[in-house]
Amino acid sequence: MQIKKGIPVSPGIAIADALVIDAHDKPVLRRTVLPNRVAAEVDRLKKAIAQSINEIGDLRKQTAAALGEKMADIFSVHARLLADKSLVDQLIQAVQTERVTAEYAVYSTLQAQAQSLLQSDNEYLRERARDFRDVERRVLSHLTGGQDVGLATLDRPAIIFAHDLTPSQTAALDKSRIVALATDAGGRTSHTAILAHALGIPAIVGLEDITSRVNTGDTVIIDGNRGQVVIEPDAAVLMDFRQQQRRQASFVQTLGELRDLPAVTKDGHKIALYANIEFPSEIMAAVENGATAVGLYRTEFQFLASDHEPSEEEQYEQFVEAIRRLKGKPLTIRTLDLGADKISDSLETVKPHAEPNPFLGCRSIRLCLQNLNLFKTQLRAILRASAEGPVRIMFPLISHVMELRQARMILADVREDLDDAGLAYDNKIPVGMMVEVPSAALQAKTFAREVDFFSIGTNDLIQYTVAVDRSNERIASLYSAAHPAVLTLIREVIKAAKRTDIEVSLCGEMASQPEYTILLLGLGLRSFSITPPAIPEIKKIIRSVKLSDCVKVAKKVSTFDSDREVLNYLRDQVSKVIPEVFDGRSIGN
Ligand code: PEP
Ligand code: MG
């Protein structure tokens, strides 16, 4: 039995077989063969390559059927690599001229290719390094007679292990078969982590080398509460986790009973609970869990999950589908937030540039303002859909007042075009913005006069305030919503919105984390936008506290100097009202 700790990003316990789909490499020692063994070694190499190509073909088919075409694309790339004659010749030459084992030839040649790609300035080429590593591992597994990286286990529930998953790969996962996720890379609010949370399955990221410790077919436990992976657990541990699983299932059931009760504090203050979604299909779960609106619809995921750039009509259809599913509840549509870690291969009208600092680069509203066709097409689709039910528009990553004004001007242009064409839309459509950049938070008073609502995006606000990449596992301990500087910005944004009498909600993951509910209520927040599976738990906390006590908690928190003090104190406060909330769960950051 082995235990490995990472960053818990979606709670719950899963016990199933592992399925390793993208692993990290293990070093292979240089060994030579006798001159009379060289020919046999070359044959062994050729046989392993042929077996790998066959296996990749089977995997492609199985993956397409089980997890969708997007995931299967990985294998097409791998097949092309191994079909490249110059690469195969290079491998054979290494065995013949250096007299090294086939294993070492594969390892050293493919590692060198991967390394040189990693040095590239081009993001796409750097990404391709992973394909070389994957192919290397597969050929090595055939040379050593090791485990196949197969999907055979997918006829029953499986836990996916990957070095990293892109948001679009995660979005394409078949939720009926995947019961948990674990990755080497990633941070608490990386988009992959957010998606895993939205899928409602336990997930752990930032496990560093988990893919080289686990083999496909191993029995594993994913403890998404504490961020622990247990590999090949012994009988006693397995029994203990099964018991915990049952206890949690009954807690989740009691939460389900809250569904139709209002989110109101013990002293009678009504709180709005909205849902964050990536696809219209999540709306059913959101409404079932008690959401009264969608506070954040991440529209870029339609682009990430598609193999082409969605047309105005396709976007319109998705928006109308979401509106119909909401049956009169408002839909907050955020305009495209592409770029940084959300890269879409499907963009046809925009050519993404390689940027040295993509999180500080041409992402989100900046990308839209530099690509007006893309932006206007989406705005037309949103406005046309607004004729079908209540819609709000929200602009992401606003950092300058002029940027907001420019976005509003383009929206006005699109409205005029629709007027000219005689197409219907809601001409009182509320327009809001995300406050997720420190400059916007510091200028909240000014912005509040120019929009109908704010939504605080703490996922980005934290990374830009504390200068910590939200998806980098190596510095994940520095990334904290409890940082006093972040809390000061949140407090000021809420105050500015209240003074101007506009709505302010919070849609970052912080709103879904139970340790922060009391504090956010005490800071004056009255609208939370949450990943659907977390809604019942947050509602339970709201229904268990008095707002007057929350205000005292927020005052006390403002006297602390460090995120650790803040978190320890907040955790105690929540545990006092609902001890089960942290039953076995590690403290978030
Ligand atoms: C945020 O930054 O807090 C947010 C909600 O947006 P995203 O996670 O999509 O960047
Ligand atoms: Mg954001």
Side-chain angles (χ1 to χ4, degrees):
M1 181 170 90
Q2 269 188 72
I3 297 177
K4 174 90 185 145
K5 255 193 97 74
I7 305 164
V9 292
S10 182
I13 291 170
I15 305 170
D17 285 353
L19 173 60
V20 185
I21 60 167
D22 171 22
H24 237 18
D25 25 68
K26 295 174 188 157
V28 172
L29 297 180
R30 182 187 164 95
R31 292 214 169 84
T32 50
V33 290
L34 294 170
N36 64 357
R37 293 289 312 149
V38 166
E41 201 62 13
V42 169
D43 283 347
R44 219 163 63 80
L45 174 65
K46 284 183 180 164
K47 195 169 153 216
I49 292 173
Q51 285 170 331
S52 300
I53 290 175
N54 276 342
E55 186 182 61
I56 290 170
D58 291 347
L59 279 169
R60 219 212 84 81
K61 277 191 224 133
Q62 288 175 42
T63 313
L67 302 175
E69 284 292 333
K70 268 256 164 194
M71 287 292 270
D73 278 354
I74 300 174
F75 297 110
S76 308
V77 174
H78 295 179
R80 279 198 295 277
L81 280 182
L82 274 183
D84 177 358
K85 191 173 172 307
S86 67
L87 177 71
V88 176
D89 286 348
Q90 216 181 328
L91 294 172
I92 294 173
Q93 271 226 330
V95 177
Q96 287 173 333
T97 54
E98 293 171 43
R99 281 203 291 113
V100 289
T101 56
E103 282 88 341
Y104 187 75
V106 168
Y107 170 74
S108 57
T109 309
L110 294 177
Q111 281 280 327
Q113 302 263 12
Q115 278 310 322
S116 82
L117 288 173
L118 280 175
Q119 308 302 323
S120 164
D121 289 341
N122 181 316
E123 167 102 24
Y124 174 81
L125 291 179
R126 284 200 304 276
E127 278 291 306
R128 296 283 65 80
R130 280 192 11 218
D131 297 320
F132 277 91
R133 290 189 170 145
D134 204 301
V135 165
E136 172 211 330
R137 193 180 146 105
R138 186 176 308 284
V139 181
L140 283 179
S141 82
H142 283 288
L143 283 168
T144 53
Q147 275 264 346
D148 290 351
V149 186
L151 284 174
T153 47
L154 270 186
D155 52 3
R156 55 183 189 272
I159 295 172
I160 293 269
F161 284 84
H163 175 62
D164 198 3
L165 286 169
T166 64
S168 54
Q169 286 171 333
T170 315
L173 290 176
D174 176 347
K175 292 147 216 154
S176 64
R177 301 177 202 229
I178 310 301
V179 293
L181 284 180
T183 60
D184 292 335
R188 183 175 286 276
T189 64
S190 57
H191 286 98
T192 303
I194 290 172
L195 270 177
H197 203 173
L199 293 177
I201 55 176
I204 307 174
V205 300
L207 283 154
E208 293 165 345
D209 61 348
I210 194 70
T211 52
S212 52
R213 292 175 182 235
V214 175
N215 292 311
T216 292
D218 284 354
T219 300
V220 280
I221 298 170
I222 294 287
D223 177 353
N225 304 328
R226 274 171 280 205
Q228 269 181 189
V229 180
V230 188
I231 306 161
E232 295 290 2
D234 59 35
V237 169
L238 202 56
M239 208 164 79
D240 182 39
F241 272 97
R242 288 207 197 283
Q243 262 171 10
Q244 284 187 44
Q245 238 182 349
R246 279 195 288 274
R247 271 207 308 277
Q248 281 191 2
S250 77
F251 179 53
V252 168
Q253 200 182 339
T254 49
L255 290 178
E257 290 156 12
L258 295 174
R259 198 195 114 164
D260 298 321
L261 298 176
V264 56
T265 61
K266 276 168 100 178
D267 46 357
H269 295 270
K270 231 180 145 321
I271 308 301
L273 292 185
Y274 305 153
N276 292 348
I277 61 159
E278 287 72 38
F279 297 99
S281 55
E282 290 169 75
I283 288 175
M284 203 168 80
V287 173
E288 268 181 11
N289 279 326
T292 55
V294 166
L296 167 65
Y297 176 10
R298 292 182 164 102
T299 57
E300 58 279 3
F301 278 83
Q302 187 185 4
F303 284 63
L304 296 174
S306 171
D307 58 3
H308 63 277
E309 186 171 317
S311 64
E312 178 184 325
E313 220 41 46
E314 286 168 315
Q315 295 186 56
Y316 169 78
E317 274 162 26
Q318 282 237 346
F319 300 150
V320 171
E321 186 191 335
I323 292 165
R324 300 234 160 98
R325 284 175 187 247
L326 276 164
K327 298 195 178 102
K329 294 184 169 74
L331 174 69
T332 310
I333 303 182
R334 180 175 73 181
T335 60
L336 283 174
D337 188 34
L338 285 168
D341 62 336
K342 287 185 279 197
I343 322 256
S344 171
D345 304 333
S346 72
L347 283 180
E348 286 147 16
T349 58
V350 178
K351 288 285 149 266
H353 295 277
E355 295 180 300
N357 280 313
F359 272 107
L360 301 181
C362 187
R363 63 171 288 213
S364 192
I365 192 75
R366 303 168 183 179
L367 184 87
C368 287
L369 291 176
Q370 289 190 20
N371 294 281
L372 291 186
N373 280 344
L374 177 78
F375 195 30
K376 283 188 167 182
T377 302
Q378 183 176 49
L379 291 175
R380 274 177 73 92
I382 298 174
L383 282 174
R384 283 174 52 212
S386 73
E388 305 298 319
V391 168
R392 312 194 300 172
I393 292 188
M394 178 158 76
F395 296 122
L397 209 83
I398 297 288
S399 56
H400 291 67
V401 174
M402 291 315 291
E403 218 168 27
L404 173 66
R405 292 183 187 157
Q406 207 185 336
R408 294 201 69 136
M409 251 161 55
I410 292 157
L411 181 64
D413 280 354
V414 176
R415 289 168 72 139
E416 259 177 41
D417 292 346
L418 292 185
D419 288 337
D420 292 347
L423 292 168
Y425 63 90
D426 172 8
N427 65 12
K428 292 206 173 57
I429 190 165
V431 177
M433 62 178 265
M434 303 271 304
V435 180
E436 52 183 345
V437 180
S439 62
L442 290 165
Q443 242 189 319
K445 243 165 51 188
T446 309
F447 280 112
R449 292 195 291 268
E450 309 219 3
V451 288
D452 299 309
F453 63 94
F454 280 160
S455 190
I456 306 175
T458 44
N459 301 340
D460 278 312
L461 188 61
I462 299 165
Q463 80 166 342
Y464 293 129
T465 305
V466 194
V468 176
D469 179 342
R470 62 194 268 187
S471 43
N472 185 337
E473 69 280 7
R474 292 172 63 199
I475 45 174
S477 63
L478 298 176
Y479 180 93
S480 175
H483 192 299
V486 175
L487 298 180
T488 302
L489 290 178
I490 294 172
R491 185 184 305 113
E492 291 308 311
V493 175
I494 296 173
K495 255 199 222 159
K498 295 215 150 162
R499 276 202 210 111
T500 322
D501 203 20
I502 62 165
E503 192 205 41
V504 53
S505 65
L506 193 149
C507 63
E509 286 298 289
M510 184 186 192
S512 309
Q513 289 176 253
E515 42 275 75
Y516 295 113
T517 315
I518 294 176
L519 170 66
L520 291 172
L521 289 169
L523 289 175
L525 193 76
R526 298 292 175 267
S527 309
F528 291 62
S529 198
I530 299 176
T531 186
I535 294 173
E537 189 173 53
I538 301 300
K539 192 193 276 185
K540 187 167 170 80
I541 298 172
I542 291 169
R543 290 178 57 83
S544 312
V545 295
K546 280 195 191 155
L547 203 58
S548 49
D549 292 335
C550 297
V551 172
K552 286 183 202 147
V553 167
K555 281 216 173 95
K556 178 84 182 159
V557 164
S558 67
T559 65
F560 295 135
D561 299 331
S562 77
D563 57 327
R564 277 293 116 188
E565 282 170 282
V566 172
L567 270 173
N568 289 338
Y569 173 69
L570 289 180
R571 186 171 199 191
D572 281 353
Q573 300 306 306
V574 191
S575 300
K576 271 187 208 153
V577 277
I578 315 175
E580 311 92 294
V581 165
F582 292 115
D583 184 19
R585 191 187 292 184
S586 82
I587 194 157
N589 58 2

mmCIF file of all heavy atoms in Angstrom, residues 542-566:
data_model
loop_
_atom_site.group_PDB
_atom_site.id
_atom_site.type_symbol
_atom_site.label_atom_id
_atom_site.label_comp_id
_atom_site.label_asym_id
_atom_site.label_seq_id
_atom_site.Cartn_x
_atom_site.Cartn_y
_atom_site.Cartn_z
ATOM 1 N N ILE A 542 -25.517 28.602 5.475
ATOM 2 C CA ILE A 542 -26.270 29.866 5.532
ATOM 3 C C ILE A 542 -27.459 29.723 6.484
ATOM 4 O O ILE A 542 -27.735 30.596 7.306
ATOM 5 C CB ILE A 542 -26.754 30.267 4.111
ATOM 6 C CG1 ILE A 542 -25.554 30.667 3.254
ATOM 7 C CG2 ILE A 542 -27.791 31.389 4.170
ATOM 8 C CD1 ILE A 542 -25.850 30.828 1.769
ATOM 9 N N ARG A 543 -28.136 28.582 6.400
ATOM 10 C CA ARG A 543 -29.332 28.382 7.232
ATOM 11 C C ARG A 543 -28.988 28.122 8.693
ATOM 12 O O ARG A 543 -29.866 28.075 9.546
ATOM 13 C CB ARG A 543 -30.160 27.216 6.679
ATOM 14 C CG ARG A 543 -30.830 27.541 5.347
ATOM 15 C CD ARG A 543 -31.602 26.346 4.808
ATOM 16 N NE ARG A 543 -32.599 25.871 5.744
ATOM 17 C CZ ARG A 543 -33.825 26.383 5.879
ATOM 18 N NH1 ARG A 543 -34.199 27.370 5.102
ATOM 19 N NH2 ARG A 543 -34.676 25.897 6.774
ATOM 20 N N SER A 544 -27.690 27.916 8.987
ATOM 21 C CA SER A 544 -27.298 27.592 10.359
ATOM 22 C C SER A 544 -26.679 28.771 11.102
ATOM 23 O O SER A 544 -26.231 28.616 12.239
ATOM 24 C CB SER A 544 -26.278 26.448 10.360
ATOM 25 O OG SER A 544 -26.700 25.408 9.546
ATOM 26 N N VAL A 545 -26.563 29.927 10.457
ATOM 27 C CA VAL A 545 -25.870 31.046 11.114
ATOM 28 C C VAL A 545 -26.746 32.300 11.169
ATOM 29 O O VAL A 545 -27.705 32.434 10.410
ATOM 30 C CB VAL A 545 -24.559 31.411 10.365
ATOM 31 C CG1 VAL A 545 -23.567 30.278 10.436
ATOM 32 C CG2 VAL A 545 -24.828 31.799 8.914
ATOM 33 N N LYS A 546 -26.346 33.206 12.094
ATOM 34 C CA LYS A 546 -27.002 34.515 12.155
ATOM 35 C C LYS A 546 -26.068 35.515 11.482
ATOM 36 O O LYS A 546 -24.857 35.498 11.738
ATOM 37 C CB LYS A 546 -27.168 34.932 13.615
ATOM 38 C CG LYS A 546 -28.321 34.292 14.305
ATOM 39 C CD LYS A 546 -28.561 35.075 15.583
ATOM 40 C CE LYS A 546 -29.523 34.363 16.483
ATOM 41 N NZ LYS A 546 -29.352 34.731 17.880
ATOM 42 N N LEU A 547 -26.658 36.405 10.699
ATOM 43 C CA LEU A 547 -25.826 37.390 10.007
ATOM 44 C C LEU A 547 -25.053 38.254 11.018
ATOM 45 O O LEU A 547 -23.888 38.603 10.786
ATOM 46 C CB LEU A 547 -26.727 38.265 9.127
ATOM 47 C CG LEU A 547 -26.023 38.942 7.981
ATOM 48 C CD1 LEU A 547 -25.337 37.961 7.065
ATOM 49 C CD2 LEU A 547 -27.025 39.760 7.166
ATOM 50 N N SER A 548 -25.700 38.551 12.130
ATOM 51 C CA SER A 548 -25.028 39.402 13.129
ATOM 52 C C SER A 548 -23.733 38.724 13.614
ATOM 53 O O SER A 548 -22.719 39.387 13.833
ATOM 54 C CB SER A 548 -25.963 39.703 14.293
ATOM 55 O OG SER A 548 -26.536 38.492 14.747
ATOM 56 N N ASP A 549 -23.761 37.383 13.740
ATOM 57 C CA ASP A 549 -22.535 36.676 14.154
ATOM 58 C C ASP A 549 -21.492 36.692 13.031
ATOM 59 O O ASP A 549 -20.289 36.774 13.281
ATOM 60 C CB ASP A 549 -22.854 35.224 14.527
ATOM 61 C CG ASP A 549 -23.687 35.144 15.797
ATOM 62 O OD1 ASP A 549 -23.613 36.100 16.614
ATOM 63 O OD2 ASP A 549 -24.422 34.153 15.964
ATOM 64 N N CYS A 550 -21.983 36.612 11.793
ATOM 65 C CA CYS A 550 -21.052 36.616 10.649
ATOM 66 C C CYS A 550 -20.282 37.943 10.592
ATOM 67 O O CYS A 550 -19.087 37.970 10.271
ATOM 68 C CB CYS A 550 -21.807 36.415 9.341
ATOM 69 S SG CYS A 550 -22.645 34.838 9.233
ATOM 70 N N VAL A 551 -20.976 39.023 10.907
ATOM 71 C CA VAL A 551 -20.317 40.340 10.884
ATOM 72 C C VAL A 551 -19.189 40.366 11.924
ATOM 73 O O VAL A 551 -18.085 40.869 11.660
ATOM 74 C CB VAL A 551 -21.351 41.463 11.129
ATOM 75 C CG1 VAL A 551 -20.677 42.812 11.317
ATOM 76 C CG2 VAL A 551 -22.352 41.515 9.975
ATOM 77 N N LYS A 552 -19.456 39.760 13.086
ATOM 78 C CA LYS A 552 -18.402 39.706 14.126
ATOM 79 C C LYS A 552 -17.207 38.892 13.633
ATOM 80 O O LYS A 552 -16.052 39.249 13.863
ATOM 81 C CB LYS A 552 -18.968 39.081 15.406
ATOM 82 C CG LYS A 552 -19.899 40.013 16.165
ATOM 83 C CD LYS A 552 -20.361 39.345 17.456
ATOM 84 C CE LYS A 552 -21.654 40.006 17.914
ATOM 85 N NZ LYS A 552 -22.575 39.095 18.586
ATOM 86 N N VAL A 553 -17.506 37.785 12.962
ATOM 87 C CA VAL A 553 -16.414 36.931 12.431
ATOM 88 C C VAL A 553 -15.574 37.745 11.439
ATOM 89 O O VAL A 553 -14.330 37.737 11.483
ATOM 90 C CB VAL A 553 -16.989 35.662 11.759
ATOM 91 C CG1 VAL A 553 -15.922 34.943 10.943
ATOM 92 C CG2 VAL A 553 -17.573 34.719 12.804
ATOM 93 N N ALA A 554 -16.240 38.478 10.546
ATOM 94 C CA ALA A 554 -15.501 39.253 9.535
ATOM 95 C C ALA A 554 -14.626 40.322 10.206
ATOM 96 O O ALA A 554 -13.498 40.572 9.763
ATOM 97 C CB ALA A 554 -16.478 39.896 8.562
ATOM 98 N N LYS A 555 -15.140 40.914 11.279
ATOM 99 C CA LYS A 555 -14.348 41.935 12.000
ATOM 100 C C LYS A 555 -13.098 41.301 12.587
ATOM 101 O O LYS A 555 -11.999 41.834 12.494
ATOM 102 C CB LYS A 555 -15.188 42.541 13.135
ATOM 103 C CG LYS A 555 -16.168 43.586 12.653
ATOM 104 C CD LYS A 555 -16.304 44.716 13.699
ATOM 105 C CE LYS A 555 -17.147 45.826 13.111
ATOM 106 N NZ LYS A 555 -18.571 45.704 13.488
ATOM 107 N N LYS A 556 -13.285 40.145 13.203
ATOM 108 C CA LYS A 556 -12.153 39.447 13.817
ATOM 109 C C LYS A 556 -11.111 39.086 12.736
ATOM 110 O O LYS A 556 -9.905 39.285 12.937
ATOM 111 C CB LYS A 556 -12.685 38.175 14.502
ATOM 112 C CG LYS A 556 -11.650 37.322 15.146
ATOM 113 C CD LYS A 556 -11.310 37.806 16.533
ATOM 114 C CE LYS A 556 -10.214 36.962 17.163
ATOM 115 N NZ LYS A 556 -9.545 37.654 18.245
ATOM 116 N N VAL A 557 -11.591 38.591 11.615
ATOM 117 C CA VAL A 557 -10.678 38.183 10.532
ATOM 118 C C VAL A 557 -9.831 39.366 10.065
ATOM 119 O O VAL A 557 -8.649 39.220 9.734
ATOM 120 C CB VAL A 557 -11.481 37.571 9.347
ATOM 121 C CG1 VAL A 557 -10.630 37.503 8.079
ATOM 122 C CG2 VAL A 557 -11.962 36.167 9.713
ATOM 123 N N SER A 558 -10.406 40.565 10.088
ATOM 124 C CA SER A 558 -9.642 41.728 9.598
ATOM 125 C C SER A 558 -8.469 42.065 10.520
ATOM 126 O O SER A 558 -7.617 42.871 10.163
ATOM 127 C CB SER A 558 -10.561 42.931 9.399
ATOM 128 O OG SER A 558 -11.023 43.356 10.660
ATOM 129 N N THR A 559 -8.395 41.441 11.701
ATOM 130 C CA THR A 559 -7.259 41.713 12.596
ATOM 131 C C THR A 559 -6.095 40.735 12.357
ATOM 132 O O THR A 559 -5.025 40.892 12.916
ATOM 133 C CB THR A 559 -7.675 41.603 14.094
ATOM 134 O OG1 THR A 559 -8.036 40.222 14.348
ATOM 135 C CG2 THR A 559 -8.845 42.511 14.415
ATOM 136 N N PHE A 560 -6.320 39.696 11.527
ATOM 137 C CA PHE A 560 -5.252 38.702 11.310
ATOM 138 C C PHE A 560 -4.277 39.153 10.213
ATOM 139 O O PHE A 560 -4.660 39.849 9.281
ATOM 140 C CB PHE A 560 -5.856 37.348 10.912
ATOM 141 C CG PHE A 560 -6.680 36.703 11.991
ATOM 142 C CD1 PHE A 560 -7.917 36.140 11.705
ATOM 143 C CD2 PHE A 560 -6.227 36.652 13.309
ATOM 144 C CE1 PHE A 560 -8.682 35.544 12.692
ATOM 145 C CE2 PHE A 560 -6.990 36.060 14.308
ATOM 146 C CZ PHE A 560 -8.224 35.502 13.998
ATOM 147 N N ASP A 561 -3.030 38.702 10.358
ATOM 148 C CA ASP A 561 -1.992 39.107 9.396
ATOM 149 C C ASP A 561 -1.722 38.065 8.320
ATOM 150 O O ASP A 561 -1.105 38.365 7.307
ATOM 151 C CB ASP A 561 -0.650 39.326 10.122
ATOM 152 C CG ASP A 561 -0.749 40.425 11.147
ATOM 153 O OD1 ASP A 561 -1.578 41.338 10.936
ATOM 154 O OD2 ASP A 561 -0.020 40.356 12.155
ATOM 155 N N SER A 562 -2.107 36.802 8.576
ATOM 156 C CA SER A 562 -1.698 35.766 7.611
ATOM 157 C C SER A 562 -2.870 34.874 7.232
ATOM 158 O O SER A 562 -3.842 34.739 7.992
ATOM 159 C CB SER A 562 -0.587 34.898 8.209
ATOM 160 O OG SER A 562 -1.170 33.995 9.130
ATOM 161 N N ASP A 563 -2.759 34.267 6.056
ATOM 162 C CA ASP A 563 -3.838 33.394 5.590
ATOM 163 C C ASP A 563 -4.027 32.185 6.499
ATOM 164 O O ASP A 563 -5.140 31.707 6.687
ATOM 165 C CB ASP A 563 -3.600 32.975 4.129
ATOM 166 C CG ASP A 563 -2.287 32.283 3.918
ATOM 167 O OD1 ASP A 563 -1.313 32.628 4.627
ATOM 168 O OD2 ASP A 563 -2.208 31.393 3.059
ATOM 169 N N ARG A 564 -2.941 31.691 7.106
ATOM 170 C CA ARG A 564 -3.072 30.518 7.988
ATOM 171 C C ARG A 564 -3.960 30.833 9.188
ATOM 172 O O ARG A 564 -4.848 30.078 9.552
ATOM 173 C CB ARG A 564 -1.695 30.053 8.496
ATOM 174 C CG ARG A 564 -0.952 29.169 7.537
ATOM 175 C CD ARG A 564 -1.619 27.824 7.342
ATOM 176 N NE ARG A 564 -2.061 27.677 5.965
ATOM 177 C CZ ARG A 564 -2.805 26.681 5.507
ATOM 178 N NH1 ARG A 564 -3.213 25.726 6.303
ATOM 179 N NH2 ARG A 564 -3.169 26.626 4.259
ATOM 180 N N GLU A 565 -3.696 32.027 9.824
ATOM 181 C CA GLU A 565 -4.527 32.413 10.974
ATOM 182 C C GLU A 565 -5.991 32.523 10.552
ATOM 183 O O GLU A 565 -6.896 32.066 11.246
ATOM 184 C CB GLU A 565 -4.099 33.802 11.482
ATOM 185 C CG GLU A 565 -2.846 33.835 12.316
ATOM 186 C CD GLU A 565 -2.403 35.288 12.526
ATOM 187 O OE1 GLU A 565 -1.806 35.872 11.591
ATOM 188 O OE2 GLU A 565 -2.681 35.829 13.602
ATOM 189 N N VAL A 566 -6.200 33.156 9.392
ATOM 190 C CA VAL A 566 -7.563 33.357 8.906
ATOM 191 C C VAL A 566 -8.251 32.005 8.716
ATOM 192 O O VAL A 566 -9.360 31.765 9.203
ATOM 193 C CB VAL A 566 -7.554 34.140 7.558
ATOM 194 C CG1 VAL A 566 -8.948 34.187 6.949
ATOM 195 C CG2 VAL A 566 -7.002 35.544 7.752
#
